[in-house]
Amino acid sequence: MTGPASASATKPVAAGASTSYPGGHWEPGPAQYGAKKTVTTTVTMDDGVELSATITYPTSLSTGERAPGSFPVIVHHNPYADGGESDAYFVEHGYIWANVRPRGNGTSGGAVGLAGARDRKDGVQIIDWAAHDLGGSNGRLGLYGCSYTGLHALTDAASVGPGSPLKAVAGLCSAAAPGYFSHETLIKGGFLTEFAAQAGVFGPFTGGQPGTVKFWEDLQTELFAGGPRAYDGTFWKDREQNFAQGIVDSDVPSLLVTGFRDETEATALQQYASTQNAYIGRSVTKPMESWQSSGTSKHQLVVGDWVHGEGLDNGILLQWYDTWIKNENTGLAQTTSPLHLQDTATGAWINTTRYPMASDYTTYHLRSSGSLTAGQETKAATDSLVWAQPDISGAELTYTSKPVSRGVTVAGPISATVYASSSNTNLQLEATLSDVAPDGTVKEISGYNPVLGSQHKLDAKMTWRDSQGKIIRPWTKQDRDEYLEPGRVYRLDIAMEPRLFSVKPGHSLRLTLDTQTPADVCTQRAWEELPCYHTAPQMQTLPGGIYTVHYGKEFPSQLNVPLLPSSCFRDTRSGVTPTSGGTDQPLDWSTASTCGGRS
């Protein structure tokens, strides 16, 4: 039996009227309720551990008392000590907000698990509690989370199984796919990021229990020492399964929101492709194919030109929940183009389906005199690099193409293959792709993408290739160090972060090879989780390295770029909503602008 909240809490929209929200005929309207936080309660797990929870209920606007009847519930499985204790916006529009602290965080019992198997089991039990034992619940649930909490939301959604009361998940500034920790967030291409350098502060940040503080301090120490968790081994693989299959099998519609300057963009795009594949019974480890010209609206992704935590619009999130939890016709369930991307050069938005977006890639070969061309160097040639900051002489190489006669669009993951040798037993290379204007202005497209010589071997199952067999998304195993033979030439495949970027006519593409991330970039762009720190074993094997980059027929060093015609994608409507905080949002989620082929 349901009470008043079973009806729509959104403002009726007159027939034929348009709104500033996706679909054009739904809007959240003004608050229908107030919000009142209750005292903290507890949720008991099957092993007796009690998790603390804070519940926020809708209240009557006239009396301030708790509104009668039952309501759907949004669960926030939230380790953070502050932020998100309750989100009044969703409560004011007809939802109960249940903020539940994971083990070891806040006053919850047990040991911190970092979204491990025990936390995922807890997530299933929290969902069951919120559906059946939480007072005022109508039995229909959603999950919410950004960053660490987004990981909990997505892994919980993957664990519930079919027939669950969970009807929707919003995994924001996060992803639940292989590589989330070991290829992007903590460890990038084998190197440590700012998150790894700051891991020790997460204990106090998530509640300050002694065991939790020690967990994060020990993790940071182990990472820098080059211990087991500095590699993509058992610990990370438990937390980096391809959870897309579980989300699809559980029949939980998932909305992902991230930014092209967020550390999660590659894993979020991978998860999008995996869910679309899983939905039609394809392998979750494969790229989508050119024939996948439409996608299910149950699994959508928004990627703006944003950094970590930006671009979150509560009105659009409410629309997602209303679509799947309240079964409202908001327009979001009708799209067949569920991938919404912002061009980082122009700011325009497109809707498409397939990721990667190009069937085959354009190859540029590294050549003498710092050029990038379609043809290979006829003679064997080399360039030298030293392991040092880029402002040190000899520590950077650049290769630039001729100006493109027509505009092109870089659309998807990018890769570089570099044949190189080292004077010692290890090697560090970082690849940056840039746009160069006729006046010499340089704009980064995808920057500081690393490969570590001792961890360069690829996982064939996870590595993506285009229709011609070219590697377009290398996937390094990163599970151990296998040191190099000094002077021997090795093939090094570098995964470069995916982008949507329009290159104007007359502009050129430039590949830059560095041996370290600039110190000032590490400071200024910490949220991008760049490869800025080294483990103890790396500091024993990298210093003093002199590298030789080889190119020519025997060693075809190259750049592989997904280039599509500039007119390939049709811009879609975008703008600011009343709840976007001034951030430009995609507002037409249904108009397809898909294209394919090569430029």
Side-chain angles (χ1 to χ4, degrees), residues 178-195:
Y180 178 79
F181 290 108
S182 65
H183 283 63
E184 285 205 285
T185 308
L186 283 159
I187 309 164
K188 187 88 165 181
F191 301 97
L192 302 180
T193 68
E194 183 66 27
F195 184 26

Side-chain angles (χ1 to χ4, degrees), residues 17-289:
S18 62
T19 73
S20 58
Y21 287 89
H25 65 266
W26 176 97
E27 62 182 13
Q32 303 296 304
Y33 303 94
K36 182 178 181 180
K37 187 186 300 184
T38 69
V39 297
T40 297
T41 185
T42 57
V43 187
T44 304
M45 299 294 99
D46 61 356
D47 61 353
V49 169
E50 293 187 341
L51 307 182
S52 60
T54 304
I55 318 301
T56 306
Y57 284 100
T59 61
S60 167
L61 291 175
S62 59
T63 68
E65 298 299 317
R66 179 173 156 182
S70 58
F71 298 83
V73 182
I74 296 176
V75 174
H76 194 198
H77 194 181
N78 170 33
Y80 293 125
D82 56 7
E85 277 292 326
S86 66
D87 199 307
Y89 182 84
F90 299 102
V91 180
E92 290 166 353
H93 288 85
Y95 290 86
I96 297 169
W97 182 272
N99 188 73
V100 184
R101 306 297 298 279
R103 292 172 181 247
N105 296 282
T107 57
S108 289
V112 64
L114 190 57
R118 180 64 243 192
D119 277 338
R120 300 194 294 272
K121 187 174 183 180
D122 289 348
V124 174
Q125 295 177 34
I126 291 166
I127 289 165
D128 182 74
W129 162 81
H132 302 111
D133 299 321
L134 176 61
S137 169
N138 72 0
R140 296 179 66 85
L141 274 60
L143 285 168
Y144 172 97
C146 172
S147 194
Y148 191 172
T149 70
L151 180 63
H152 275 292
L154 292 166
T155 56
D156 290 352
S159 304
V160 293
S164 166
L166 181 63
K167 305 303 177 185
V169 58
L172 316 169
C173 20
S174 190
Y180 178 79
F181 290 108
S182 65
H183 283 63
E184 285 205 285
T185 308
L186 283 159
I187 309 164
K188 187 88 165 181
F191 301 97
L192 302 180
T193 68
E194 183 66 27
F195 184 26
Q198 298 296 324
V201 306
F202 260 67
F205 196 55
T206 57
Q209 288 189 27
T212 302
V213 171
K214 187 176 187 303
F215 170 88
W216 286 103
E217 290 177 345
D218 287 350
L219 175 59
Q220 181 175 335
T221 299
E222 184 176 327
L223 290 171
F224 277 86
R229 286 182 292 185
Y231 301 90
D232 194 9
T234 302
F235 183 84
W236 297 123
K237 289 185 184 302
D238 173 58
R239 293 153 177 81
E240 293 183 345
Q241 303 168 41
N242 201 316
F243 291 99
Q245 186 69 59
I247 290 171
V248 171
D249 291 346
S250 297
D251 194 26
V252 180
S254 61
L255 174 64
L256 305 179
V257 180
T258 189
F260 277 120
R261 292 178 288 127
D262 191 336
E263 70 264 26
T264 63
E265 77 268 40
T267 45
L269 282 157
Q270 178 188 353
Q271 183 175 335
Y272 168 82
S274 295
T275 50
Q276 293 294 332
N277 279 343
Y279 191 80
I280 61 172
R282 294 190 72 238
S283 169
V284 295
T285 65
K286 301 296 183 183
M288 295 177 71
E289 298 287 354

Side-chain angles (χ1 to χ4, degrees), residues 191-194 430 517-519 521-523 529-534:
F191 301 97
L192 302 180
T193 68
E194 183 66 27
E430 297 183 11
T517 309
V521 171
C522 288
T523 301
E529 303 301 350
L530 299 171
C532 291
Y533 301 92
H534 300 90

Side-chain angles (χ1 to χ4, degrees), residues 133-453:
D133 299 321
L134 176 61
S137 169
N138 72 0
R140 296 179 66 85
L141 274 60
L143 285 168
Y144 172 97
C146 172
S147 194
Y148 191 172
T149 70
L151 180 63
H152 275 292
L154 292 166
T155 56
D156 290 352
S159 304
V160 293
S164 166
L166 181 63
K167 305 303 177 185
V169 58
L172 316 169
C173 20
S174 190
Y180 178 79
F181 290 108
S182 65
H183 283 63
E184 285 205 285
T185 308
L186 283 159
I187 309 164
K188 187 88 165 181
F191 301 97
L192 302 180
T193 68
E194 183 66 27
F195 184 26
Q198 298 296 324
V201 306
F202 260 67
F205 196 55
T206 57
Q209 288 189 27
T212 302
V213 171
K214 187 176 187 303
F215 170 88
W216 286 103
E217 290 177 345
D218 287 350
L219 175 59
Q220 181 175 335
T221 299
E222 184 176 327
L223 290 171
F224 277 86
R229 286 182 292 185
Y231 301 90
D232 194 9
T234 302
F235 183 84
W236 297 123
K237 289 185 184 302
D238 173 58
R239 293 153 177 81
E240 293 183 345
Q241 303 168 41
N242 201 316
F243 291 99
Q245 186 69 59
I247 290 171
V248 171
D249 291 346
S250 297
D251 194 26
V252 180
S254 61
L255 174 64
L256 305 179
V257 180
T258 189
F260 277 120
R261 292 178 288 127
D262 191 336
E263 70 264 26
T264 63
E265 77 268 40
T267 45
L269 282 157
Q270 178 188 353
Q271 183 175 335
Y272 168 82
S274 295
T275 50
Q276 293 294 332
N277 279 343
Y279 191 80
I280 61 172
R282 294 190 72 238
S283 169
V284 295
T285 65
K286 301 296 183 183
M288 295 177 71
E289 298 287 354
S290 58
W291 51 263
Q292 292 178 255
S293 58
S294 63
T296 174
S297 61
K298 285 189 172 183
H299 304 290
Q300 304 198 41
L301 168 61
V302 179
V303 188
D305 188 16
W306 302 321
V307 298
H308 193 65
E310 287 186 340
L312 307 184
D313 186 323
N314 276 348
I316 291 177
L317 298 177
L318 176 66
Q319 187 175 5
W320 183 257
Y321 291 131
D322 281 2
T323 301
W324 304 108
I325 300 175
K326 295 184 177 180
N327 292 322
E328 292 192 14
N329 180 17
T330 70
L332 297 191
Q334 282 73 53
T335 181
T336 58
S337 299
L339 180 56
H340 319 290
L341 305 174
Q342 187 174 27
D343 190 312
T344 56
T346 67
W349 286 87
I350 66 154
N351 296 322
T352 188
T353 300
R354 185 163 55 92
Y355 181 77
M357 293 165 273
S359 300
D360 59 301
Y361 273 45
T362 299
T363 295
Y364 290 94
H365 293 273
L366 280 62
R367 299 192 62 169
S368 57
S369 303
S371 60
L372 279 175
T373 66
Q376 292 181 2
E377 185 77 56
T378 56
K379 298 179 181 179
T382 62
D383 290 319
S384 294
L385 277 168
V386 297
W387 188 76
Q389 282 284 292
D391 59 352
I392 301 299
S393 177
E396 183 174 89
L397 295 172
T398 61
Y399 302 88
T400 307
S401 74
K402 292 180 179 179
V404 295
S405 58
R406 304 180 192 177
V408 293
T409 301
V410 178
I414 309 156
S415 74
T417 297
V418 179
Y419 289 84
S421 58
S422 173
S423 65
N424 58 18
T425 60
N426 217 337
L427 176 151
Q428 177 177 357
L429 279 182
E430 297 183 11
T432 295
L433 180 64
S434 302
D435 170 288
V436 184
D439 64 2
T441 301
V442 178
K443 185 172 183 179
E444 181 184 303
I445 299 174
S446 180
Y448 305 106
N449 303 278
V451 64
L452 176 64

